Amino acid sequence: MAKTYLITGATSDVGHALMERLLVKMGEDDCIIAQGSSDLERIRDLCEAHPGKIKTFSVDLSDPEAISAFVEAVRTMCPAPTHFVHLPALRAINTKFKKFDEARFDLDMNVQIKSAVQLCKAFVPQMAKAKFGRVLFIQTSYTIGCPPKNMSAYVMAKSALGGLAKSLAIEYASAGVTVNSVAPSMMETKFLADTPDLIVQASAADNPMGRNCRVSDVVPAMEFLLSDEAGFITGVTLPITGGSTIA
């Protein structure tokens, strides 16, 4: 069966690394639908190295109408997605709750949660009809156990994403569609651009392995959860934390 990977947030460090790994093993009829937001230049190297394998779309995931147009374009121009990987999020900001930014939180909920709902409504029932599908979200270890201080907006958004994943997993298990999440601890990517370096260093020092999570720690687990071999795994949130969080 040909595989079509729909990856939102494909221009992120994780998205780039995941596509790079998937492309090595993709069959002749397999392809990737890669969503970015005016930043598709970040995956230009992969598009040039694998001509015809990646279909790129610039889409504002905070705009429901833009997502609707994206869905229609995918249905018209691409094979039906068999795999959906949802990666986008606003950068985490360390701030006290008394300074909670409602407008920014609403934007992040649109980008992370409402877009996921809209895209899942569009494509997961198709997967169920085909009796095969893989859905994968990226959460955070902050939703497992005790979260850190001053991260309420980020933790709330990721918790909502976890609730969506669990609900979908139960509803679509009998149709051959698995829904899982990976939950890395602090991962050193450009996502940390707004996080003070002292916090990043303290996180590394507190980790049992003496370092923060890397993209290379997360992507192999993602690839496995997307694979045929993971067909009996669903509703799982996999901690990738070096032992800093144990579920």
Side-chain angles (χ1 to χ4, degrees):
M1 180 184 71
K3 297 175 180 177
T4 301
Y5 297 86
L6 170 58
I7 303 177
T8 49
T11 54
S12 64
D13 292 344
V14 173
H16 187 288
L18 177 62
M19 289 194 296
E20 191 172 34
R21 193 173 179 98
L22 292 173
L23 284 161
V24 173
K25 300 178 182 179
M26 281 172 53
E28 182 178 351
D29 297 326
D30 299 344
C31 67
I32 293 174
I33 302 165
Q35 177 273 335
S37 182
S38 302
D39 56 359
L40 293 172
E41 182 67 23
R42 293 176 178 171
I43 57 173
R44 182 178 178 182
D45 60 326
L46 293 179
C47 295
E48 292 179 346
H50 302 272
K53 301 300 287 184
I54 305 174
K55 304 179 191 302
T56 59
F57 294 85
S58 180
V59 185
D60 179 1
L61 294 182
S62 70
D63 182 354
E65 292 185 2
I67 297 171
S68 294
F70 174 46
V71 168
E72 187 59 31
V74 169
R75 287 174 172 166
T76 302
M77 302 167 58
C78 307
T82 56
H83 298 64
F84 174 39
V85 183
H86 189 64
L87 304 174
L90 299 191
R91 288 174 176 169
I93 294 180
N94 188 281
T95 184
K96 293 183 181 298
F97 185 73
K98 65 182 180 181
K99 295 182 178 180
F100 191 92
D101 186 336
E102 286 89 349
R104 192 177 191 280
F105 176 68
D106 288 343
L107 178 61
D108 199 19
M109 288 294 287
N110 287 339
V111 169
Q112 284 202 65
I113 312 305
K114 292 184 179 180
S115 70
V117 170
Q118 195 170 347
L119 291 166
C120 284
K121 282 182 68 178
F123 297 117
V124 173
Q126 287 183 305
M127 295 179 186
K129 187 175 181 179
K131 295 296 182 183
F132 177 86
R134 297 284 183 270
V135 179
L136 183 63
F137 298 123
I138 187 162
Q139 291 195 59
T140 171
S141 65
Y142 296 169
T143 62
I144 304 170
C146 182
K149 295 179 180 178
N150 306 329
M151 296 291 289
S152 56
Y154 186 68
V155 172
M156 281 194 289
K158 288 299 186 184
S159 295
L161 195 63
L164 174 62
K166 290 178 181 179
S167 298
L168 290 174
I170 294 301
E171 185 167 347
Y172 286 98
S174 63
V177 179
T178 67
V179 186
N180 295 295
S181 302
V182 292
S185 56
M186 182 177 285
M187 182 165 40
E188 295 192 357
T189 68
K190 59 179 177 282
F191 187 75
L192 294 181
D194 297 323
T195 302
D197 192 54
L198 284 176
I199 293 177
V200 177
Q201 292 177 14
S203 173
D206 289 342
N207 190 285
M209 291 194 179
R211 64 172 176 86
N212 287 319
C213 183
R214 300 168 183 156
V215 171
S216 58
D217 298 317
V218 177
V219 169
M222 297 175 70
E223 183 185 20
F224 171 69
L225 290 172
L226 292 169
S227 70
D228 294 344
E229 288 81 3
F232 204 62
I233 301 173
T234 195
V236 165
T237 298
L238 178 63
I240 305 174
T241 67
S244 61
T245 301
I246 299 175

